[in-house]
Structures are given as C-alpha cells and as structure tokens.
Amino acid sequence: MIIMGVDPGLTRCGVGVIEAGAPRRLSFIHVDIVRSDPKLSQDLRLLAIYDGLVGKIERFVPDVVSIERVFAQENRNTVLGTAQAAGLAMLAAAQRGIPVALHTPTESKLAITGNGKAEKPQMERMVARILGLNAPPKPADAADALAVAICHALRPQGALQGGEREQHLTAAQRRWAEATQQAARRRGVRRDM
Amino acid sequence: MIIMGVDPGLTRCGVGVIEAGAPRRLSFIHVDIVRSDPKLSQDLRLLAIYDGLVGKIERFVPDVVSIERVFAQENRNTVLGTAQAAGLAMLAAAQRGIPVALHTPTESKLAITGNGKAEKPQMERMVARILGLNAPPKPADAADALAVAICHALRPQGALQGGEREQHLTAAQRRWAEATQQAARRRGVRRDM
C-alpha cells in the first residue's frame, strides 16, 4: 500500500510517500516540499499548492492520503492558510477517489515514538529508523509529512474519514483504537510500541 | 461586468451573481446556495462544494469572483470549513484566470447601507433595492453572497488580490480607499453614500 503523508501549509506543504508492505514493513519512497511564493496573491498561492499536490498524487498514485489535522486554536496568522492547504489536499484526493485520513500531531508522535509529546529530533531519528534510512530525511521540515504517513500505517484502521469506520474494526482493533484515543486524550502518556 | 459573490461555508455556500453596467447600474442575475451533506466525510464535502462552485463559474463566466473574507477569530467550530470553502472558491477562479477579490462583512455593510454594523434585515432590503428587486432575494441567507458582489461593484478598485493594486489607483481612488479603510477600522462609523 502506498501512503502519501501531507503536512499542510500555504508557504511550505510537506509531502512524504512510503510503502507499507508485509506486516509493519515500511519503506521510504519520496519526500519533498510543495511551495508557493508568499509574494503572490492568495488565490495564486492556493493554485500553486493544489497543482503541486496533484502532481505528487498523479506521480505516486497513493492508496490513501494521510493529512495532519489542523486545529482552529493554532497560530492565527497561519491557521487559515494551513486549513486551506489541507482542504486542497483533501479535494485533490477526493477528485481521484483516493481515501483521506486525518491524524493529529500527537497521534503521529505517539505512533512513532510512543510519546505524544516527543520533540522534533526524536521524531526525525525514529522516522529515519522506521524507514531504514541512514540519516534523517531532508529537508528536515518534511519529516512531519513522512511522520503522518507512517502514523497512518501504524495505526490499526488509520482513522479513515467518515463515520462508518468504527463499524469495520475487529474487536482487537477497536480495543487498540480506544486505547490510542485514551492515550491521545491524556497527551504524552507513554505507550509500549 | 459579471461579478460573482461567494459567502463561503462548508454546509451552505452562498453564490450571488450580478451585472455591473453603466455607472453604478447593478442588476440581478442569479442567487443560490451550494450545499454539502454534513453526514459525508470532510473530503467529499469539500469536493461537493468545489464542484458546485465550478458549475456556477462555468455557467455565469464571471469577470471577477468576490469572496467574503474569513477571519481566524470566528466561530472555532466552523471557521476551518469556512476557510476551506473560501479556498476552493479562490482555486476555482484562479484555475480559470478569473481575478479574485476579498471583502470583509463590514466593507459590504458599509458599501451597501453606509453603516458597517448594519443588521441583516436592513442589508436584505438594501440589496433588493440596489438590484431593483420587488422583495429581498431568497433564500434569505443567500443575500450575503449578493452583498459581497455588490460591495465589489461599489468599491472603487474592488480590493483585487495582490500587492500591486494600490499602484493602479488614481489619486481620487486612493483617497476613497484610504477613507474606506479608516472607516472599516473604526467599524461601523457612518459614511455618506
């Protein structure tokens, strides 16, 4: 399964692509930043981000697009552009019938390091280790895009969009999901990997 | 000139189309609500809104798309979806080379009633009067979309997106723009029409 992770942003939108093979065997395919020129007007910036994301989706044909969830409480100066970039990623996927999943940064950190409050260097090291890379991926701020892709692979059902997800979980998966949700609620509680 | 106004929303996205003819002669063309089913997942809702907006743009071929500006301070439960819907309207316009303008609700109220804090019934009456309608447009919550289209027609340069706008203003237009901006800053100060 090809998973494309997206760390949304209007100026820099991270894209990370991995392959999830035999149980929990994850391999690195691609990482990049899709950019828009801050000097352009907002409509042209959104067009640049959309076109960049469509290019990545058409090149790598992911089975799922995993996007970092945006919260209204975030930095007021950037949150709307970030939300719009996330919306464009969802649109680009939906137009091609590709399922979309949303994961919070805490969920990514928890899934990858076992600590929902893990710092960036720890996340980068673990992303590299999980993907069998000799060094943390560059550019450094693209690691978040790989992280949200890895998070989707490591979570049991991957929090696909839509209300029917829970019904498709096995009993074990449901217990896992409940435990993860509880842990996420407690933010940062350590979990055995 | 055909102006399409968009009152962005993820559940209900207002679209109003007017024609601006000889000096300040505005006429009504169309008003409608583009909807998405709240029971669908967010990616499919964004796709529905985008497809609806594209349908309107391709039907009416506006010369400019005037969108109500979204602020990060707005209702936390809806602001991200509203921002995403606005982003889709910008994308749909930019993909067709149609200029985009953003106007705040205060600017619309000021341009239409002379009062930046005008209440909804007053706005609806003035929208109907300006467009020569016998009754306020239905559905009622589509009046905001017509209002942001009218606002664009009545403002001197229409606040087109992009940093170069100011350079193209005449001295009189610049004074008008400055006065409007000051009035908008003071929010609700009365202005002679």
Side-chain angles (χ1 to χ4, degrees):
Chain A
M1 182 169 74
I2 307 292
I3 304 173
M4 176 175 290
V6 176
D7 178 26
L10 184 54
T11 303
R12 299 171 65 82
C13 188
V15 176
V17 186
I18 65 171
E19 178 158 22
R24 311 250 158 157
R25 283 291 292 266
L26 306 183
S27 52
F28 171 86
I29 294 181
H30 178 79
V31 69
D32 198 6
I33 302 278
V34 171
R35 298 157 207 270
S36 78
D37 182 348
K39 289 196 292 268
L40 291 177
S41 58
Q42 196 181 352
D43 53 333
L44 297 181
R45 296 184 69 185
L46 291 169
L47 179 60
I49 295 293
Y50 174 80
D51 286 347
L53 290 172
V54 166
K56 296 296 185 190
I57 289 176
E58 295 194 339
R59 177 171 166 199
F60 296 103
V61 197
D63 296 289
V64 59
V65 176
S66 175
I67 305 171
E68 194 170 293
R69 191 184 286 276
V70 182
F71 291 97
Q73 300 83 317
E74 288 174 26
N75 183 341
R76 281 191 179 175
N77 292 327
T78 59
V79 66
L80 298 187
T82 305
Q84 288 172 334
L88 299 183
M90 285 188 241
L91 175 69
Q95 286 174 318
R96 290 159 183 81
I98 300 170
V100 166
L102 300 175
H103 299 285
T104 68
T106 300
E107 286 167 349
S108 287
K109 290 171 180 174
L110 198 56
I112 289 170
T113 70
N115 177 357
K117 288 179 172 174
E119 300 285 345
K120 212 168 186 61
Q122 185 187 1
M123 280 291 281
E124 289 172 10
R125 281 195 304 274
M126 281 303 293
V127 163
R129 189 184 304 173
I130 289 169
L131 297 179
L133 303 175
N134 291 326
K138 303 264 170 146
D141 61 354
D144 286 345
L146 287 170
V148 72
I150 294 170
C151 173
H152 185 78
L154 296 182
R155 297 187 76 203
Q157 180 72 4
L160 281 178
Q161 280 274 288
E164 294 178 20
R165 179 177 72 88
E166 299 298 337
Q167 297 162 26
H168 298 302
L169 300 182
T170 65
Q173 284 176 327
R174 192 171 296 115
R175 281 196 300 275
W176 203 103
E178 285 165 6
T180 309
Q181 284 163 12
Q182 279 179 13
R185 267 184 236 119
R186 290 195 302 265
R187 287 195 103 199
V189 172
R190 203 159 182 87
R191 180 174 69 75
D192 292 325
M193 286 299 281
Chain B
M1 182 169 75
I2 307 292
I3 305 172
M4 175 174 290
V6 176
D7 178 24
L10 183 56
T11 302
R12 299 171 64 84
C13 188
V15 175
V17 186
I18 65 170
E19 177 157 22
R24 311 248 158 159
R25 285 290 294 267
L26 306 182
S27 51
F28 172 86
I29 294 180
H30 178 80
V31 69
D32 198 7
I33 303 277
V34 171
R35 297 158 207 268
S36 78
D37 182 348
K39 290 195 291 267
L40 290 177
S41 59
Q42 196 180 352
D43 55 331
L44 297 181
R45 296 184 70 186
L46 291 169
L47 180 60
I49 294 294
Y50 174 80
D51 286 346
L53 290 172
V54 165
K56 297 296 185 189
I57 289 175
E58 296 194 338
R59 177 171 165 199
F60 295 104
V61 195
D63 297 289
V64 59
V65 176
S66 176
I67 305 171
E68 194 170 293
R69 191 184 286 277
V70 182
F71 292 99
Q73 300 84 319
E74 288 173 27
N75 183 340
R76 282 191 178 175
N77 292 326
T78 59
V79 66
L80 298 187
T82 304
Q84 289 173 335
L88 298 183
M90 286 187 240
L91 174 70
Q95 286 174 319
R96 289 156 184 84
I98 301 171
V100 166
L102 300 175
H103 300 284
T104 68
T106 299
E107 287 166 348
S108 288
K109 290 172 180 174
L110 198 57
I112 288 170
T113 70
N115 177 357
K117 287 180 172 173
E119 300 284 345
K120 213 166 185 65
Q122 185 188 0
M123 280 290 282
E124 288 172 11
R125 281 195 305 274
M126 282 301 294
V127 163
R129 189 184 302 173
I130 289 170
L131 297 178
L133 304 173
N134 291 326
K138 303 265 171 140
D141 62 353
D144 286 345
L146 287 170
V148 73
I150 294 171
C151 173
H152 185 77
L154 295 182
R155 296 188 76 201
Q157 181 71 7
L160 280 177
Q161 280 274 288
E164 295 176 22
R165 178 179 73 88
E166 300 297 336
Q167 298 161 25
H168 299 302
L169 299 183
T170 66
Q173 285 177 327
R174 193 170 295 115
R175 282 196 299 276
W176 202 104
E178 285 166 5
T180 309
Q181 284 165 13
Q182 280 180 12
R185 265 182 238 121
R186 289 196 302 266
R187 285 195 107 197
V189 172
R190 206 162 180 84
R191 179 174 70 77
D192 292 324
M193 284 299 281

